[in-house]
Amino acid sequence: MTVATEHRHAWFPASPCDASCVRSELPRAGRFRVSLRVCALALVVGYLVLTVVFVLPTPRVLRRRYLRSVARMLLGALGIRIAVDDRRPFPARARGLIVANHVSFLDVLAIASVSPAHFVAKSDVMEMGPVSLLARVLGVIAVDRSSLRELPGSVEAVVDALHRDKCAAVFPEGTTWCGRSSGRFRPAFFQAAIDAGVPVLPMTLEYSDVDGNLCTAPAFIGDDEINDTMGRVLAQRSMTVTVTVHELQLPVADRRHLAARCEELVFGTRPDDLGPFVVADPQRPYAHALAS
């Protein structure tokens, strides 16, 4: 999942997390349980392949219900239980730009189990075998992280998704972290909420093991391939992903401070001083101004 250094730009998202972040001493599932999970996963994928063509033409409310149930079935097949902690004073259907911390490609399923959305993901996801099928079903907006030139177009695609379906999701850290540490929220895609005039809904994703401790097995980090992460997940005796839904945040003109406010909610800490707001220089390319 790494990108050649020569293709990286100043705003390229990077994470220091690697294999050393993953705990290996956790209680492991037996072979029989792993085999059952693999069979269950195959059955759910088969169900998805057979039914998705009939569901896509249906009204949006039915599609969302279908996607939510499929996401929950896929997580269940992997042995992952879902817990939702909705902290909104008046819980309701999630609409707007969903932002969350990023640990794994399984984050998409965790969020979709609460609120299906058009997800922004790196272009590599569209080539990840079975994951690519689900990505297309969810209407993933692929982003080439190595190209700043494509960033404005990606933001516009999110704005369009918000106008059409009222719900899109991004991972502002820009890459995955192990869950023990995290990155800063980059402000670029918060501009989509401002341009579309929709609120931002922050969510926190936390994976825990059978003892209730933070679990790094689902992390998609370092040199991991999809099979590495899937192998660790299938081998866990039990796992829970807790989706904490925070209060809606109204869009403000300053995307940097909107990003900082959501980062504080998601991670439960106050961001470092961001310094004075920098107005985009008209002489700089729009992509560079947007990324800053």
Side-chain angles (χ1 to χ4, degrees):
M1 60 179 293
T2 57
V3 178
T5 304
E6 60 268 19
H7 297 308
R8 294 184 175 182
H9 48 74
W11 287 276
F12 189 89
S15 165
C17 298
D18 55 25
S20 64
C21 298
V22 181
R23 291 175 57 191
S24 58
E25 70 277 9
L26 296 175
R28 297 176 65 84
R31 291 184 179 180
F32 180 69
R33 183 178 295 184
V34 173
S35 298
L36 284 180
R37 288 175 179 172
V38 172
C39 291
L41 185 61
L43 287 174
V44 176
V45 172
Y47 168 77
L48 175 63
V49 171
L50 292 174
T51 58
V52 67
V53 293
F54 301 103
V55 176
L56 289 180
T58 62
R60 182 173 60 196
V61 62
L62 295 179
R63 293 198 309 271
R64 289 176 60 85
R65 189 176 301 170
Y66 169 81
L67 292 172
R68 187 181 296 112
S69 65
V70 167
R72 287 178 174 266
M73 286 191 291
L74 286 168
L75 287 174
L78 292 170
I80 302 176
R81 191 177 72 89
I82 308 162
V84 180
D85 178 10
D86 197 332
R87 298 182 179 179
R88 293 173 293 176
F90 304 102
R93 293 180 179 177
R95 293 292 188 272
L97 180 69
I98 298 172
V99 297
N101 58 306
H102 201 13
V103 176
S104 172
F105 50 80
L106 296 176
D107 298 346
V108 172
L109 296 180
I111 293 175
S113 69
V114 176
S115 179
H118 291 275
F119 288 85
V120 175
K122 61 179 184 178
S123 54
D124 304 20
V125 170
M126 307 307 289
E127 303 173 1
M128 290 170 60
V131 176
S132 65
L133 171 63
L134 184 64
R136 288 178 171 82
V137 171
L138 289 170
V140 163
I141 301 169
V143 175
D144 181 359
R145 299 183 303 169
S146 64
S147 175
L148 273 179
R149 291 180 179 273
E150 295 188 14
L151 182 57
S154 298
V155 173
E156 286 300 319
V158 175
V159 172
D160 181 61
L162 289 170
H163 282 153
R164 285 186 291 109
D165 288 345
K166 307 298 182 185
C167 200
V170 300
F171 300 104
E173 290 169 289
T175 189
T176 48
W177 292 67
C178 69
R180 298 182 185 280
S181 55
S182 58
R184 301 303 303 264
F185 273 12
R186 294 161 184 261
F189 282 100
F190 286 88
Q191 187 64 42
I194 297 171
D195 293 347
V198 300
V200 179
L201 182 60
M203 293 187 183
T204 303
L205 307 178
E206 295 177 294
Y207 295 86
S208 54
D209 60 28
V210 65
D211 297 321
N213 300 315
L214 185 145
C215 183
T216 56
F220 188 55
I221 51 179
D223 295 324
D224 274 352
E225 300 292 341
I226 184 172
N227 290 337
D228 299 319
T229 301
M230 289 293 286
R232 291 196 300 267
V233 170
L234 289 169
Q236 297 302 301
R237 181 181 296 177
S238 178
M239 195 185 311
T240 298
V241 56
T242 301
V243 182
T244 302
V245 185
H246 301 281
E247 293 185 33
L248 284 169
Q249 302 296 305
L250 296 179
V252 294
D254 185 342
R255 63 176 174 269
R256 293 180 72 241
H257 285 78
L258 179 59
R261 194 166 69 196
C262 291
E263 179 182 320
E264 181 178 355
L265 284 170
V266 170
F267 297 117
T269 56
R270 186 173 182 81
D272 299 332
D273 181 17
L274 294 176
F277 174 61
V278 180
V279 178
D281 186 339
Q283 301 300 319
R284 298 167 64 199
Y286 172 64
H288 290 73
L290 189 61
S292 62

